Every structure is written in structure tokens, then in C-alpha cells.
């Protein structure tokens, strides 16, 4: 039936409060939060579950946001996504563990220098992160949304959206039009709303350029098994985290799902990300390009000897896109529908959770008041655009730093500092929110969120801005890589608010290992030497959350002990192939 005829048939009164386009992890998490709090929600998706998706690696900030969303909206299942042990026992045994961010620097045609490495171990005392097998986690979250009352229609492509003063008509390619009060587009790059309203910036304002090719493989070796034992002396095995191979003009992710004793999934996610201005797309298949590329690097290729892709390779053009507007009357674009930068630093899920947290309560209030004025949602647009610009700056500078080991080694510390401070901030906010569930304690976090949750502390903001400008001078050809690296290290040395125990100002320290001893040193520093504002943030960001570490509602200690025991030679055998409860 023609679209015009469908429009004429639509009901005038809304049948639902909210339509969510897209049933990925972002769309279904939002659907569960809204439905749990009384909204009538329908989720529409052109595809079906289970299905492949990237965005498989979590970071502590993401997991803390999930905890916050879970508590604020009363959806306890979301908290199950926040620790490796809970995912294994409650959701899927096909996911992997993430105990570190690993970075190995490579030069074409040369062996990897063991001194040119970095690792950011995730402290066990505060967090246990995940490698999500997205076809399982996404399908599970869809079920959670349905259990809270959301209606779902899969294999339903949206062909048009009509917005008027009284509501929104969502027109599918088959079936009757759906009349709603508000529409949230969480569908990604091919956003129906972005197409409908011509929202994409052409060209994109984003300065970063990259393309990608990726797949799932079997037979990928743990990196530590491809080099002589004791080569790196890193505190956490490379294979127990998200491994980044880095080189001029790009990087590669290696995200294993079989990296712990209770693994039931033999797959490994592999992706190659390249700046097309340095590595133009060749005239060959994606797999041929991948094999030819890794053959140039003597200590990357052995990891993939005998490895086989289990699904077709995906090869993209330029990944970056942005939108000039993300909020309008009765509509919103969320995270990847609004824009995308790069998978580097695993911030995609984090951005999605930021938007869910900010949009959910505003939308519930709008439904209650029957007032969907754009002004109510202006902060959501500020947040989305701010996060897009923040990530663009973070990643573009990182790619520039890949041109030199010395600059990357310095820039790694810039990223680490931002991650540490932002995690302290959300740890503190979450712990305070748990005391009485007063949203007012989250106002500081919301104010900082568009800037990557970097604390609103002037010296820290000034330092990170100076570092970004220095790297951009390298990109623009106005400064040498080595000179810029020295400037970044000196800035870190001169700052009195950088926790010294992590060794960020020492270029010869390659592991930001937050051991128990170093955390105790940091706590002592926060009370005796740190500037008061940062000292309070550090103390509260660590102690308030550590107090929750053994709370049965936050961490399943029995599951943690089970996973530890599963690695033991004899006793652990019976524990290695569990079934979700």
C-alpha cells in the first residue's frame, strides 16, 4: 500500500507513549527503563535476534553507568551486565573477561620492541569488566524489556515518520502504522529520522578519519603464547584483556571470548582500523587485505596463523559521521544514530548509557506532563554533541600519536589520567546516590558528562586542553613527535593533582598497575599531599565504592571464588562449563 494511503489510515490518538527504533543494547535498555516506570513502549527493528554486533568491550566507567541506570530506573537486571561473574552466571557463558587494556606498538617490517608496550590493568578491588558476546547480551536484554511490558516487532523496517502537534506516526514497510507520543531513534547509522530530516552533517565536522574491517575468528592465539616466555613482564596476561596492536595510521583490536577457565565460546573478535589517508583501501577482498597487512608486522602475523573467520568479513568506508541536530519536537536520536567516531578506547557503550541515563527520566516526566517541548530535552542534545566532540578529539589525537612510540607512550598517560579521574567521579556519584536515591546528587556528574565526565577542576581541564593542543600541533605539522612527547610528560610532572602511585609522569613505567598497595598509597596521598578538591574526589571515589565491593547486590563473591577455583588444575575441572541460572 502506498505511504500516502497508510498515513490516511493512522489513528489520531497515540497507541503508545514511546516508539524506539532499533533493538540493540541501547534501545532495549531504554525500553526496559521506560516500561518499568509505567510507559507504554514499542520497539521496532528491521532485523531480528540473535545477531552480530560490535561494541564488545566494557570499561569501568561504562559499568558504573549501568549500575547507576539500574538503580535510578529500578531495573536490577541491568546491573547483571556490570561484572564478568554476573554475566557468566545470569546471562551467557559465551562472554569473555576483561582484566586489562593492553597496547603493543609495532613498526612495519620490524620485531616488536618489548619496551614499547603499555598496559592498564583493571583493579580487581573495584571492577571486573567484560567482553560481551553481543548476540547473546543483546537478545537477553530484549527479553528483559519484554518482561517489563515493552512490545517488540522485529523484521519491521521503518519507511517514514510523520510528526504533528498531537503525536508521531511511525510507518513500517508492513503492517499498520503505529501512533505514539514520542519516537527515539536508536537504529544506528541508517537512522530513519536522520534521513527523514536531513540531519547528517555533510561533510562531518569530525576531524578524525578511519575505516574498519572486522569479523569473528577461531584459532586466534593468546599473544603471550607467540613470544618467548617473560618477554614483557606485564602484570596481567595480554589475552585476559582487550589487546590493541598499534602502528602508524591505525590499530587492531583482539577481543577473545575464550580467555578464562569457564569459557564456552571459541570465538575471538578481530578488527583492523586504518586511516584511509595513510592506508588507502586496496582493490581486494577484506580478508586478503587483512592477511597482507598483518604480514608486514613480524610479531602480529603469528597470532593469526591458522586462524579462520567464522563469518563474512565486513569492510567499511569512512566510519565517522555526525548530525547537526539530535533533538526535535517529539523525537530524539540516540548515541550511534546521532554520530560515531571510532571503536578505540571502547567508549561506544559508555556513550549509549550516558544518553539513556539523561533521556529516560526527562521522557518519563514529559509523558506524565503531556509536554514534549524541545526545551525539556535540550540537555540531551548538548550531551550527545559534547560526547561526540570529546571522543573525536580523544581518538584523533591518539591516531596522531601512533606516528611515534614516544608520543603514543606519552598520550597513553593522558588517556589514563582522564579515565582514572572520570571513574573516581562516577564511583563517588553512584555511592552517594545509593544512600537515598536523591537525583540531586547526580547534578555534578550530569554537568560534567558532555566533557567526557572529566571533573570540573580547572587545573585538570587546563592540563588536558594543553595536551590536546600539543598533539594537534603535531598533526598540523607544527611540532615534532618527540618534542611533543617531552612536553606531555613535563606537564604531567608539573601537575600536583596527578596521583603519583600510578607512575603516569614516568615514561619508563609501562604498567598503570592499580595494585592494592598502590591504591593504599593513593589514598594516603589524597589525604596528605593532593589539592583538596582532587584529594576529596580520589578519597571518596575509592573508599565509598570499595565499601560496596562486598555488597551482595553489587558483586557476587561466590561467583568470583568459583571462577578463581575453575583455574586450579584438579579441583577446577568440575567448574569449567557452567550453565546460566
Amino acid at each position: 500500500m502506498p505511504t500516502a494511503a497508510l498515513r490516511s489510515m493512522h489513528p489520531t490518538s497515540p497507541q503508545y507513549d514511546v516508539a524506539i527504533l532499533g533493538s540493540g543494547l541501547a534501545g532495549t535498555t531504554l525500553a526496559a527503563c521506560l516500561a518499568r516506570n509505567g510507559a507504554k513502549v514499542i520497539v521496532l527493528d528491521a532485523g531480528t535476534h540473535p545477531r552480530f554486533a560490535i561494541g564488545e568491550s566494557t570499561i569501568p566507567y561504562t559499568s558504573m553507568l549501568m549500575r547507576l541506570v539500574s538503580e535510578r530506573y529500578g531495573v536490577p537486571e541491568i546491573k547483571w551486565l556490570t561484572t564478568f561473574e554476573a554475566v557468566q552466571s545470569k546471562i551467557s557463558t559465551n562472554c569473555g573477561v576483561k582484566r586489562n587494556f593492553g597496547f603493543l606498538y609495532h613498526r612495519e617490517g620490524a620485531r616488536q620492541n618489548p619496551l614499547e608496550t603499555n598496559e592498564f590493568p583493571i583493579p580487581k578491588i573495584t571492577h571486573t569488566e567484560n567482553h560481551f558476546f553481543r548476540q547473546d547480551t543483546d537478545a537477553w536484554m530484549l527479553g528483559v524489556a519484554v518482561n517489563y511490558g515493552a512490545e517488540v516487532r522485529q523484521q519491521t523496517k521503518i519507511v517514514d515518520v510523520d510528526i504533528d502537534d498531537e503525536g508521531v506516526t511511525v510507518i513500517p514497510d508492513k503492517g499498520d502504522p503505529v501512533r505514539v507520543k514520542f519516537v527515539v531513534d536508536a537504529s544506528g547509522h541508517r537512522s530513519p529520522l536522520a534521513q527523514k530530516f536531513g540531519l547528517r552533517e555533510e561533510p562531518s565536522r569530525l576531524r578524525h578519519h578511519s575505516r574498519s574491517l572486522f569479523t569473528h575468528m577461531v584459532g586466534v592465539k593468546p599473544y603471550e603464547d607467540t613470544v618467548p616466555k617473560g618477554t614483557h613482564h606485564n602484570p596481567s596476561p595480554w589475552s585476559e584483556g582487550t589487546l590493541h596492536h598499534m602502528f602508524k595510521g591505525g590499530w587492531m583490536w583482539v577481543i577473545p571470548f575464550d580467555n578464562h577457565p569457564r569459557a564456552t565460546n571459541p570465538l575471538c573478535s578481530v578488527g583492523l582500523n586504518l586511516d584511509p589517508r595513510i592506508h588507502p583501501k586496496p582493490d581486494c577482498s577484506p580478508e586478503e587485505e587483512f592477511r597482507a597487512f598483518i604480514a608486514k608486522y613480524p610479531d602480529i602475523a603469528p597470532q593469526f596463523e591458522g586462524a579462520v573467520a567464522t563469518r563474512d568479513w565486513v569492510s567499511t568506508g569512512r566510519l565517522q559521521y555526525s548530525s547537526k541536530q539530535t533533538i526535535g519536537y517529539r523525537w530524539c536520536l540516540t548515541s550511534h544514530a546521532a554520530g560515531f567516531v571510532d571503536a578505540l578506547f571502547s567508549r561506544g557503550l559508555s556513550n549509549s548509557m550516558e544518553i539513556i541515563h539523561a533521556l529516560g527520566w526527562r521522557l518519563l516526566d514529559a509523558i506524565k506532563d503531556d509536554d514534549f517541548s524541545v526545551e525539556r530535552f535540550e540537555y540531551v542534545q548538548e550531551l550527545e554533541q559534547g560526547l561526540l566532540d570529546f571522543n573525536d578529539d580523544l581518538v584523533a589525537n591518539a591516531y596522531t600519536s601512533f606516528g611515534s612510540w614516544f608520543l603514543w607512550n606519552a598520550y597513553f598517560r593522558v588517556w589514563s589520567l582522564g579515565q582514572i579521574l572520570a571513574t573516581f567521579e562516577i564511583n563517588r556519584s553512584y555511592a552517594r546516590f545509593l544512600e537515598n536515591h536523591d537525583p540531586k546528587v547526580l547534578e555534578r556528574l550530569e554537568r560534567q558528562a558532555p566533557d567526557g565526565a572529566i571533573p570540573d577542576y580547572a587545573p585538570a581541564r587546563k592540563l588536558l586542553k594543553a595536551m590536546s593542543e600539543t598533539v594537534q600541533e603535531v598533526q598540523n605539522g607544527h611540532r615534532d613527535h618527540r618534542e611533543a612527547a617531552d612536553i606531555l610528560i613535563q606537564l604531567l610532572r608539573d601537575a600536583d593533582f596527578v596521583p603519583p602511585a600510578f607512575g603516569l609522569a614516568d615514561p619508563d613505567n609501562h604498567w598503570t598497575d592499580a595494585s592494592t598497595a598502590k591504591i593504599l598509597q593513593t589514598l594516603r596521598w589524597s589525604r596528605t599531599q593532593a589539592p583538596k578538591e582532587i584529594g576529596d574526589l580520589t578519597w571518596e571515589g575509592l573508599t565509598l565504592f570499595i565499601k560496596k565491593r562486598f555488597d551482595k547486590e553489587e558483586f557476587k563473591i561466590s561467583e568470583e571464588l568459583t571462577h578463581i577455583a575453575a583455574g586450579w588444575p584438579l579441583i577446577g575441572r568440575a567448574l569449567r562449563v557452567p550453565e546460566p541460572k
Side-chain angles (χ1 to χ4, degrees), residues 229-431:
K229 188 174 182 179
T231 295
H232 294 103
H233 303 287
N234 46 313
S236 175
W238 301 115
S239 63
E240 289 188 8
T242 301
L243 180 58
H244 305 70
H245 292 297
M246 298 168 305
F247 32 79
K248 183 178 181 180
W251 66 287
M252 179 191 301
W253 78 68
V254 183
I255 302 176
F257 304 111
D258 63 346
N259 61 348
H260 58 91
R262 305 182 89 196
T264 57
N265 185 350
L267 297 179
C268 180
S269 179
V270 178
L272 182 60
N273 303 269
L274 303 168
D275 185 333
R277 298 167 299 185
I278 298 174
H279 302 286
K281 200 169 186 177
D283 185 17
C284 64
S285 72
E287 180 159 16
E288 289 171 334
E289 180 184 5
F290 176 78
R291 294 293 178 182
F293 191 91
I294 65 173
K296 301 173 185 177
Y297 297 90
D299 282 328
I300 295 180
Q303 188 174 16
F304 299 94
E305 287 178 358
V308 178
T310 60
R311 53 176 296 111
D312 290 342
W313 283 84
V314 175
S315 179
T316 75
R318 186 188 176 193
L319 289 166
Q320 293 68 48
Y321 58 93
S322 54
S323 301
K324 56 192 175 185
Q325 182 181 350
T326 64
I327 287 288
Y329 181 61
R330 294 186 181 271
W331 61 266
C332 172
L333 302 185
T334 62
S335 195
H336 289 170
F340 183 77
V341 179
D342 195 284
L344 186 62
F345 301 131
S346 304
R347 292 187 57 89
L349 285 174
S350 178
N351 293 351
S352 295
M353 291 300 145
E354 290 275 25
I355 304 308
I356 290 167
H357 181 239
L359 177 62
W361 67 266
R362 288 176 168 86
L363 194 45
L364 289 168
D365 283 352
I367 293 168
K368 181 179 65 176
D369 298 340
D370 195 26
D371 175 9
F372 298 92
S373 58
V374 175
E375 292 75 18
R376 300 187 75 131
F377 301 96
E378 283 182 343
Y379 170 78
V380 179
Q381 176 161 275
E382 176 190 346
L383 176 63
E384 290 183 310
Q385 300 289 23
L387 286 173
L388 196 60
D389 290 338
F390 177 86
N391 290 336
D392 182 44
D393 188 62
L394 184 72
V395 173
N397 287 341
Y399 270 66
T400 297
S401 77
F402 294 165
S404 157
W405 154 252
F406 297 100
L407 185 54
W408 161 252
N409 186 40
Y411 192 73
F412 163 77
R413 297 156 203 284
V414 178
W415 166 75
S416 298
L417 176 61
Q419 172 137 311
I420 290 167
L421 294 178
T423 303
F424 286 168
E425 191 71 66
I426 195 167
N427 283 357
R428 178 169 67 176
S429 297
Y430 177 68

Side-chain angles (χ1 to χ4, degrees), residues 209-224:
H209 282 68
S210 68
R211 60 185 180 89
S212 185
L213 48 154
F214 51 85
T215 190
H216 281 169
M217 305 183 84
V218 291
V220 178
K221 300 179 179 68
Y223 187 79
E224 58 268 23

